[in-house]
Amino acid sequence: VTAHFQQRGDVAVLVPAAGSGVRLGPGAPKALRPLGGVPLLLHAVRRLAAASSVAVIVVAAPPADVAAVRDLLAPATAGLPLIVVPGGAHRQASVAAALAAVPAGPQIVLVHDAARALTPPDLVDSVAAAVRAGADAVIPVLPVVDTIKSVDADETVLATVDRSTLRAVQTPQGFRRDVLAAAHADAVDPHTDDAGLVEKLGVPVLCVPGSERALKITRPFDLVIAEHLLATEPATRTLPS
Ligand code: C5P
């Protein structure tokens, strides 16, 4: 028998959403680009709000769009508290700004890219559960299917990497709050993910199974895939409107 201790929500989720999205082509900041007529960030926040572990959502928005983002998201959080802060010059600075705005209480913090707009609520809960079960840091991963080679500056192959030891890393990444705070306090160079900072502290990072539906929408082709995923999304939970 598994005891069900959890009340609704012991997790703060940080959402870095301040990127410009140049790789998607010209247009609005990436988090505000439409997918099926709805901004990517709104898709992402609806799915976070539908995860039973989430207690508060903190979004780092493009600085010029903080008020508009608050208005966009406020009706979509299913009554959860929502905090919107201006993001920074790079992803890590945006995460640090969001982390500084987390209210007292939650001891588990997840960091989730707005660009992974269709991430299923179940993945959010499974990452949170692994932290709750005792891991200091947890990342969702997929196996690497392509053969991977390292190359030199002239695009000549240096080596073939053993892909069985490689994992493609997604978000949400989950942390004990004090571990993530220590990692950001210690950070010097910008990293592309938060687990990278935690690794530098020498803290073990646990991998759990990710989801194809958590793909990062980066290039125009990803939007085509995402449109299809949206149309075939399993309706396992009611999303806030
Ligand atoms: O550029 P990339 O796809 O790696 O961005 C990952 C996430 O980090 C996106 O959700 C993007 O909005 C966010 N980001 C941010 N602040 C920046 C740059 C990126 O919040 N200055």
Side-chain angles (χ1 to χ4, degrees):
V1 177
T2 311
H4 199 70
F5 307 106
Q6 195 198 327
Q7 311 262 307
R8 158 130 213 182
D10 58 354
V11 170
V13 187
L14 317 182
V15 186
S20 58
V22 273
R23 286 168 292 179
L24 263 185
K30 177 158 77 173
L32 302 177
R33 305 273 182 112
L35 170 66
V38 172
L40 291 176
L41 178 59
L42 181 52
H43 281 294
V45 166
R46 281 179 179 165
R47 285 158 184 77
L48 291 171
S52 56
S53 55
V54 175
V56 54
I57 298 172
V58 185
V59 174
D65 299 310
V66 169
V69 164
R70 196 179 289 123
D71 290 347
L72 174 74
L73 300 179
T77 61
L80 289 178
L82 169 76
I83 298 167
V84 183
V85 299
H90 47 77
R91 183 186 182 280
Q92 188 175 307
S94 295
V95 174
L99 182 60
V102 176
Q107 295 307 306
I108 299 173
V109 178
L110 268 53
V111 185
H112 184 50
D113 289 337
R116 299 185 186 274
L118 301 182
T119 298
D122 286 343
L123 182 61
V124 178
D125 286 332
S126 75
V127 169
V131 180
R132 204 176 293 120
D136 288 336
V138 177
I139 57 175
V141 303
L142 292 177
V144 172
V145 293
D146 292 312
T147 295
I148 305 286
K149 302 196 188 273
S150 59
V151 297
D152 66 15
D154 301 321
E155 288 292 311
T156 301
V157 169
L158 292 172
T160 303
V161 186
D162 175 11
R163 74 179 173 203
S164 71
T165 69
L166 299 178
R167 303 290 179 268
V169 178
Q170 303 180 318
T171 74
Q173 301 189 345
F175 306 92
R176 265 179 41 198
R177 181 178 182 161
D178 56 345
V179 168
L180 185 63
H184 274 268
D186 216 48
V188 193
D189 314 318
H191 280 60
T192 53
D193 77 343
D194 299 279
L197 290 176
V198 167
E199 289 154 36
K200 283 215 157 169
L201 294 181
V203 171
V205 176
L206 177 69
C207 297
V208 298
S211 166
E212 307 273 11
R213 290 183 178 273
L215 91 161
K216 185 163 75 169
I217 300 167
T218 306
R219 290 157 300 199
F221 180 69
D222 301 325
L223 277 173
V224 177
I225 297 171
E227 295 275 0
H228 177 74
L229 291 174
L230 189 60
T232 61
E233 195 166 47
T236 49
R237 302 197 197 187
T238 310
L239 299 177
S241 58

